[in-house]
Amino acid sequence: MIIEKNHYLCGYFDYQQLILRKMNDRKVMNHAADNIRILAASMVEKANSGHPGGAMGGADFINVLYSEFLEYDPENPSWEGRDRFFLDPGHMAPMLYSELALIGKFTIDELKDLRQWGSPTTGHPELNVARGIENTSGPLGQGHAYAVGAAIAAKFLAARTGNPVFEKETIYTYISDGGVEEEVSQGAGRIAGFLGLNNLIMFYDSNDIQLSTECNAVTAENTAMKYEAWGWNVLEINGNDCEQIREALIAAKAEKKRPTLIIGKCIMGKGARKEDNSSYERNCKTHGAPLGGDAYKNTIVNLGGNPENPFIIFDDVKELYAKRAHELKNIMAARYAEEETWAKSNPDKAAKMKDWFAGKTPTVDWKSIEQKEGNATRNASATVLGILAEQVENMICASADLSNSDKTDGFLKKTHAFVNGDFSGAFFQAGVAELTMACCCIGMALHGGVIVACGTFFVFSDYMKPAVRMAALMEVPVKFIWTHDAFRVGEDGPTHEPVEQEAQIRLMERLKNHSGKNSMLVLRPADADETTEAWKLAIENTSSPTGLIFSRQNIAKLPSGNDYSQTVKGAYIVAGSDEKPDVILVASGSEVSTLVAGAELLRKDGLKIRVVSAPSEGLFRTQSKEYQESIIPSGSKIFGMTAGLPVTLLGLVGTNGKIFGMESFGFSAPYKVLDEKLGFNGENVYNQVKTMF
Ligand SMILES: Cc1ncc(C[n+]2csc(CCOP(=O)(O)OP(=O)(O)O)c2C)c(N)n1
Ligand SMILES: [Mg+2]
């Protein structure tokens, strides 16, 4: 439906002011959008690489958003109550950078340096709040799902703190055909509609063109009806008409119950011309290549620029943005005053909120946590989560419809789930949507002020991996809880039994982030008490995502006297180990207790045995060489056991040692039968190790 003129006026006093304010005239707005188009096309031309077409089509929307709507403090970019803009199609980076140049976050020289070594104008935008970039984007679909998460975080913080800034905050996001087609949009759309996220406004750059074809070659869906069915407020406009964009944004801001989707019919490559000066609009070729030579020159002339000197900001556009900067000063003065009033009457909450946004490690009474001996580590995790729910006020926990199985219900039992209109709880029921859940949790973390964890079965980490990778790249400290860690899922069979997953996810421990640190921390604790330590490390890890891998089945406690505080080293010697060992046995998770059982048998043959628990090889490799040598000296005889692929332990055992692991998919049978059939018992440890002598 096309929105009816002025219908948004009724009763929305906040926006009356906005409406009554003299709007910028169409001429300057179009000039500013053309300015963005010129800059975007020129950046790509100069880099000889990039995506001009989409950026040129979306220029009108981004210009209206930044020159009239987005509320933020240019002097204080990380102000917690700012409106946020999440870009989904990262390939439209030139559009975002050009806009950010108009508001002074990038220089013209930096625009000229698109995609070059060391330049902040990277090929796809990378998280940089100081520069106005709220998310790294590139993998289509994820960006708008982060926005859904951020909108949830804003609702949660509004409910938890009562700070009025969170009530007023708007999360804007920009999606393109590719993002709408990506499956994650199903989950993000369902959740935003279901939870009634009226603080979320999504602009859909519907230009009917994608990378290799027109959209009608792959879809005939009625996108408006789809989002309406999910409970969204859907508006359809001409996405290149500044007045229609403005009206739609005003209507969207006034919406009290639903998220809004603004379907903007945009012209791909708006204003682009070919070498012969005929139209180059609506052409797939402009998606991902410079316009090139005379086509580029004709385009710049057509848009009112000078091909010899295209990297300029027009005077009237400078004025437009100077006016906006002035408006923002007034807007921010009012917002700060409001926040100040709240802070004065809520000093405790205000102090807490500062800590939350600073990412301060919360105080948890870890010593008070008592674990039941021999418990499954997923149950031990539930015990910790119960404490966290009580002691960490800004924590949100999620599950993809498995809370009673992945034991995030330990958290849920102490709170309640978010529902439409009520965000006083702290649990996010994501439904069966692992990638969506992961993206939403990342979005919450990007919003800031919250600590986020989410759970599902380890085998389904495969559905989340693209988001885990982005969390690692962005250094976002989401805690991923993965239970049912091995074939001991048993009767559910090979579809549910992880084998290669641990090796896969541990690759992220080897991959360094741009701060030079491990991009992820992965912990698979050996028993209930080690689980407490693993959770402590996860909560204290505020600079990268953490994966916590837990067992479904009960695990025998490690020998008495075990010093669990050594978990922090990533690998350590389990109590009861012998001095000057003949062989070192290494494992993580429940296989450690299997090694302990095997060690008993080996000792009867007079062998001296050391058992090493290695919950995180990545963490172990960050310890001093001396420490590493003291635990697993090079040249020693080493045996590893893993319920994953043997390669999982290769880094610790080395090629001269021996690894017993799973060589195939699992099987369907009770787990104790599988343990026997597959050789995961003390006797087999004994047999395997004996062959090494
Ligand atoms: C998950 C993912 N798959 C594939 C790509 C490669 N890719 C980049 S843009 C694009 C489609 C572009 O279509 P659209 O989103 O409509 O952007 P437009 O062409 O309109 O600029 C594809 C397939 C990607 N970036 N992410
Ligand atoms: Mg498109």
Side-chain angles (χ1 to χ4, degrees):
M1 102 224 38
I2 303 289
I3 57 169
E4 278 172 45
K5 224 176 162 59
N6 293 340
H7 88 119
Y8 49 81
L9 274 171
C10 326
Y12 301 115
F13 299 109
D14 269 2
Y15 286 92
Q16 276 194 356
Q17 203 197 344
L18 187 69
I19 294 157
L20 296 175
R21 196 179 75 207
K22 192 178 173 304
M23 285 302 170
N24 298 302
D25 77 41
R26 183 184 271 280
K27 204 163 148 234
V28 69
M29 293 299 273
N30 288 345
H31 205 204
D34 281 344
N35 206 158
I36 294 170
R37 287 186 255 278
I38 292 168
L39 290 172
S42 302
M43 290 169 80
V44 174
E45 201 67 21
K46 181 149 194 310
N48 199 22
S49 155
H51 306 80
M56 293 171 78
D60 299 277
F61 173 77
I62 197 129
N63 175 54
V64 175
L65 179 67
Y66 277 76
S67 64
E68 297 186 356
F69 286 87
L70 200 76
E71 297 191 356
Y72 62 98
D73 182 354
E75 310 298 323
N76 181 13
S78 57
W79 176 58
E80 60 276 356
R82 68 189 182 278
D83 288 346
R84 284 144 171 93
F85 174 68
F86 287 87
L87 183 69
D88 193 298
H91 69 275
M92 295 197 192
M95 174 185 81
L96 182 61
Y97 296 141
S98 300
E99 179 57 54
L100 294 175
L102 299 188
I103 66 166
K105 295 282 180 193
F106 284 84
T107 66
I108 289 290
D109 280 345
E110 286 168 339
L111 298 190
K112 290 180 185 166
D113 226 11
L114 178 72
R115 297 180 156 230
Q116 305 310 308
W117 173 258
S119 167
T121 45
T122 47
H124 290 76
E126 294 177 29
L127 175 65
N128 189 339
V129 172
R131 294 268 197 161
I133 300 177
E134 300 281 356
N135 63 300
T136 299
S137 50
L140 290 166
Q142 289 202 45
H144 82 288
Y146 305 155
V148 172
I152 293 172
K155 293 267 182 199
F156 167 81
L157 288 163
R160 200 127 291 214
T161 66
N163 183 342
V165 301
F166 297 123
E167 203 69 60
K168 291 203 168 160
E169 184 188 324
T170 302
I171 308 297
Y172 297 94
T173 184
Y174 184 113
I175 195 169
S176 61
D177 299 304
V180 169
E181 285 168 24
E182 276 296 343
E183 293 91 337
V184 66
S185 67
Q186 147 77 30
R190 169 180 56 80
I191 285 164
F194 177 72
L195 290 178
L197 301 177
N198 68 318
N199 55 347
L200 179 71
I201 299 175
M202 179 154 85
F203 179 78
Y204 168 24
D205 171 358
S206 173
N207 62 16
D208 302 327
I209 308 279
Q210 50 196 75
L211 190 151
S212 63
T213 63
E214 293 193 11
C215 297
N216 63 16
V218 298
T219 180
E221 76 171 20
N222 185 328
T223 307
M225 279 174 74
K226 184 173 80 175
Y227 278 84
E228 272 166 8
W230 284 326
W232 287 57
N233 170 35
V234 179
L235 311 171
E236 289 184 77
I237 60 165
N238 173 347
N240 294 118
D241 181 321
C242 63
E243 286 174 6
Q244 289 193 30
I245 295 168
R246 178 187 296 134
E247 289 187 9
L249 283 171
I250 291 170
K253 292 256 324 175
E255 169 62 40
K256 294 288 182 235
K257 291 201 160 69
R258 300 166 296 173
T260 294
L261 174 68
I262 301 170
I263 301 180
K265 295 308 298 182
C266 293
I267 297 174
M268 177 83 164
K270 185 158 194 316
R273 293 286 172 94
K274 292 185 179 154
E275 302 88 356
D276 63 1
N277 218 15
S278 63
S279 171
Y280 201 3
E281 292 180 342
R282 302 181 200 276
N283 192 318
C284 274
K285 284 188 186 150
T286 70
H287 163 86
L291 300 174
D294 286 343
Y296 166 73
K297 284 185 191 148
N298 291 338
T299 299
I300 300 305
V301 170
N302 183 43
L303 291 169
N306 175 0
E308 304 307 314
N309 185 22
F311 284 101
I312 54 159
I313 302 176
F314 300 134
D315 287 342
D316 57 341
V317 177
K318 279 187 192 153
E319 251 175 62
L320 171 72
Y321 278 91
K323 176 172 163 251
R324 181 60 184 168
H326 183 73
E327 282 167 8
L328 282 173
K329 273 207 163 51
N330 295 333
I331 290 169
M332 282 312 303
R335 304 289 301 275
Y336 282 141
E338 227 174 10
E339 193 169 20
E340 188 64 26
T341 309
W342 165 82
K344 280 213 175 101
S345 36
N346 298 278
D348 291 352
K349 281 185 184 165
K352 273 187 205 161
M353 194 197 76
K354 286 272 169 263
D355 286 349
W356 296 352
F357 274 88
K360 210 172 140 191
T361 306
T363 311
V364 177
D365 187 4
W366 296 104
K367 294 235 158 54
S368 72
I369 297 175
E370 277 185 36
Q371 293 290 5
K372 196 170 125 209
E373 189 172 325
N375 219 345
T377 53
R378 66 172 168 151
N379 293 331
S381 169
T383 303
V384 177
L385 280 166
I387 297 289
L388 296 176
E390 284 171 346
Q391 298 185 8
V392 184
E393 261 184 276
N394 63 329
M395 183 158 170
I396 296 171
C397 188
S399 178
D401 193 31
L402 284 170
S403 55
N404 47 351
S405 229
D406 62 29
K407 292 293 163 195
T408 51
D409 63 0
F411 193 95
L412 179 57
K413 282 175 190 157
K414 304 281 172 68
T415 180
H416 50 275
F418 299 139
V419 290
N420 193 324
D422 179 4
F423 288 79
S424 61
F427 199 89
F428 170 42
Q429 290 286 20
V432 191
E434 295 78 9
L435 176 58
T436 301
M437 173 176 74
C439 289
C440 286
C441 290
I442 290 169
M444 293 180 210
L446 287 172
H447 180 281
V450 293
I451 293 173
V452 198
C454 59
T456 186
F457 289 161
F458 190 32
V459 80
F460 302 134
S461 63
D462 286 350
Y463 275 48
M464 308 165 82
K465 172 64 172 48
V468 174
R469 181 171 196 272
M470 292 297 280
L473 178 60
M474 289 189 276
E475 304 177 24
V476 171
V478 173
K479 328 299 172 203
F480 296 101
I481 303 164
W482 290 309
T483 65
H484 299 59
D485 66 350
F487 64 80
R488 297 181 189 88
V489 170
E491 292 91 333
D492 274 343
T495 56
H496 283 52
E497 296 170 7
V499 178
E500 75 285 14
Q501 278 71 15
E502 190 179 345
Q504 282 175 185
I505 214 74
R506 284 199 188 280
L507 289 176
M508 303 306 294
E509 284 198 306
R510 291 172 180 246
L511 183 63
K512 297 276 180 281
N513 60 30
H514 284 174
S515 302
K517 304 216 175 104
N518 294 357
S519 72
M520 188 166 183
L521 172 64
V522 180
L523 295 153
R524 182 166 176 251
D527 72 0
D529 286 313
E530 207 178 271
T531 299
T532 307
E533 299 294 324
W535 257 115
K536 183 165 182 282
L537 290 171
I539 291 291
E540 286 169 357
N541 177 19
T542 58
S543 59
S544 73
T546 303
L548 293 159
I549 305 171
F550 297 130
S551 74
R552 172 191 183 228
Q553 85 285 3
N554 288 348
I555 306 179
K557 186 175 163 55
L558 295 184
S560 67
N562 192 56
D563 178 5
Y564 289 99
S565 69
Q566 297 180 90
T567 307
V568 68
K569 299 277 177 61
Y572 65 95
I573 300 168
V574 170
S577 291
D578 302 313
E579 294 295 322
K580 300 207 179 109
D582 300 306
V583 61
I584 298 173
L585 314 184
V586 188
S588 73
S590 59
E591 290 86 81
V592 181
S593 62
T594 311
L595 293 181
V596 171
E600 300 282 298
L601 302 174
L602 289 162
R603 283 189 186 110
K604 287 186 182 147
D605 283 6
L607 287 170
K608 291 189 174 158
I609 311 292
R610 170 182 292 179
V611 177
V612 170
S613 173
S616 165
E617 184 190 350
L619 194 53
F620 181 58
R621 293 299 174 209
T622 64
Q623 308 305 319
S624 69
K625 281 273 167 279
E626 293 71 37
Y627 177 78
Q628 294 182 40
E629 271 296 301
S630 73
I631 305 301
I632 307 176
S634 39
S636 40
K637 214 181 265 298
I638 309 169
F639 172 76
M641 176 174 261
T642 171
L645 268 181
V647 72
T648 314
L649 286 178
L650 191 60
L652 291 166
V653 174
T655 43
N656 293 326
K658 183 171 186 187
I659 305 170
F660 184 85
M662 287 284 287
E663 308 268 2
S664 77
F665 289 112
F667 304 90
S668 176
Y671 83 83
K672 290 201 169 152
V673 174
L674 289 176
D675 264 339
E676 295 311 308
K677 297 278 182 203
L678 298 172
F680 285 82
N681 53 31
E683 290 76 41
N684 193 37
V685 172
Y686 173 88
N687 291 335
Q688 296 291 329
V689 172
K690 283 298 262 188
T691 65
M692 297 171 77
F693 288 91

